[in-house]
Amino acid sequence: MQDLKVTLMQTALHWEQPDANRAMLAEKIARCGETDLIVLPEMFTTGFSMNAPAHAEPADGPTLAWLAGQAAERKAVITGSVMVSVDGGYRNRLFWMPPNGRYSYYDKRHLFRMAGEHEHYQSGSDRLIVELNGWRICPLICYDLRFPVFSRNRGDYDLLVYIAEWPAPRRRHWQTLLAARAIENLSYVVGVNVVGDDGVGHHYSGDSTAVTMAGDILLTGAEQEFCQTVTLGAAALSDWRRQLPFHIDADAFEIS
């Protein structure tokens, strides 16, 4: 396992304008330096919209093709979620797109009922664990952050990634829970959020963050767009787990 370079793409989004968002993000991605993984926000083509009938695309639609092209051109994995139409319903689907185009996906399990997400989208069930340069990575979506059992490290990942549209009034929750997930799971954590205002009056402060397994903040920023790359140290993670093997005493559990 070697050190991993992760790029956090904190940006404002054009409300319910997929073409404009893909074009905007392509320009930003083109300016990124060398990296292994580029993390985009939740629903990066539309913003956190419940108008799936108007804006959801097929799972193999234009955004999937766009992600494949961007990943191949940048020679890096790109991840983020979009609204997709599947089997007569809709999913908030995270795509994990490597340069070779052999993608994986995760459908958001915890749907944010306070915004009615559970009334418009179907929930996923299983976590996704992917491998990159020897790192085992678990990508999750926004509201999942509030559920530590689902996020629990079962000895199967080294990095948790949360993509989000997390409103500014609860920014302290976002910051606190990202650090908590890192500490309790002996794992690096990366969280990527949006900035600005959406089409239904919510404001987002960003606060995209990279946290070490010790809870130390490697990178964070609020209220402005940025594309920042952080290097996650493989040796530091291995040493921490060896010196403080809290996981040995973890409780066994099952998720129904």
Side-chain angles (χ1 to χ4, degrees):
M1 194 164 98
Q2 62 194 56
D3 291 353
L4 190 71
K5 291 185 177 180
V6 181
T7 299
L8 289 67
M9 182 73 71
Q10 178 167 292
T11 184
L13 295 173
H14 302 286
W15 183 249
E16 296 182 343
Q17 298 179 56
D19 289 342
N21 284 311
R22 285 190 293 264
M24 175 270 293
L25 288 167
E27 292 181 2
K28 293 179 182 293
I29 290 170
R31 295 196 295 269
C32 291
E34 181 182 352
T35 190
D36 301 305
L37 170 62
I38 298 171
V39 184
L40 306 180
E42 179 182 17
M43 287 194 182
F44 65 83
T45 61
T46 56
F48 190 59
S49 168
M50 299 301 104
N51 193 8
H55 299 289
E57 58 187 74
D60 60 352
T63 298
L64 187 66
W66 178 85
L67 282 168
Q70 292 295 317
E73 184 173 346
R74 294 296 308 166
K75 296 181 173 59
V77 173
I78 303 180
T79 192
S81 85
V82 297
M83 57 172 76
V84 297
S85 175
V86 180
D87 298 330
Y90 305 104
R91 302 288 181 109
N92 183 347
R93 177 164 291 182
L94 176 147
F95 287 108
W96 179 271
M97 180 62 73
N100 64 12
R102 297 173 185 169
Y103 70 92
S104 305
Y105 67 85
Y106 160 70
D107 291 333
K108 186 177 182 181
R109 175 179 171 92
H110 298 96
L111 302 178
F112 190 58
R113 70 177 54 252
M114 281 65 79
E117 187 180 13
H118 65 299
E119 297 173 350
H120 300 276
Y121 297 90
Q122 297 172 336
S123 175
S125 56
D126 298 328
R127 295 195 315 190
L128 172 67
I129 305 293
V130 287
E131 189 275 336
L132 176 59
N133 296 349
W135 289 71
R136 300 163 303 166
I137 303 171
C138 179
L140 298 173
I141 304 176
C142 201
Y143 194 36
D144 288 333
L145 177 60
R146 288 190 178 273
F147 301 94
V149 174
F150 188 65
S151 299
R152 182 75 59 83
N153 194 343
R154 307 167 202 171
D156 56 356
Y157 66 73
D158 308 299
L159 167 63
L160 267 175
V161 174
Y162 291 97
I163 62 168
E165 294 209 22
W166 195 286
R170 296 183 293 280
R171 63 189 300 192
R172 186 182 176 196
H173 300 187
W174 165 257
Q175 296 162 328
T176 301
L177 292 172
L178 287 172
R181 296 294 88 84
I183 294 167
E184 70 193 11
N185 290 302
L186 301 177
S187 169
Y188 285 100
V189 170
V190 166
V192 172
N193 194 21
V194 298
V195 292
D197 300 318
D198 68 15
V200 289
H202 297 119
H203 178 69
Y204 301 86
S205 57
D207 301 298
S208 297
T209 302
V211 192
T212 74
M213 52 281 161
D216 297 325
I217 304 300
L218 295 174
L219 179 151
T220 192
E223 300 293 357
Q224 60 183 349
E225 296 184 319
F226 67 72
C227 177
Q228 296 283 347
T229 300
V230 63
T231 299
L232 308 183
L237 177 61
S238 178
D239 290 345
W240 185 263
R241 287 174 169 175
R242 183 173 59 254
Q243 294 169 18
L244 297 167
F246 303 128
H247 60 283
I248 293 175
D249 299 310
D251 300 310
F253 65 93
E254 294 182 0
I255 298 176
S256 60

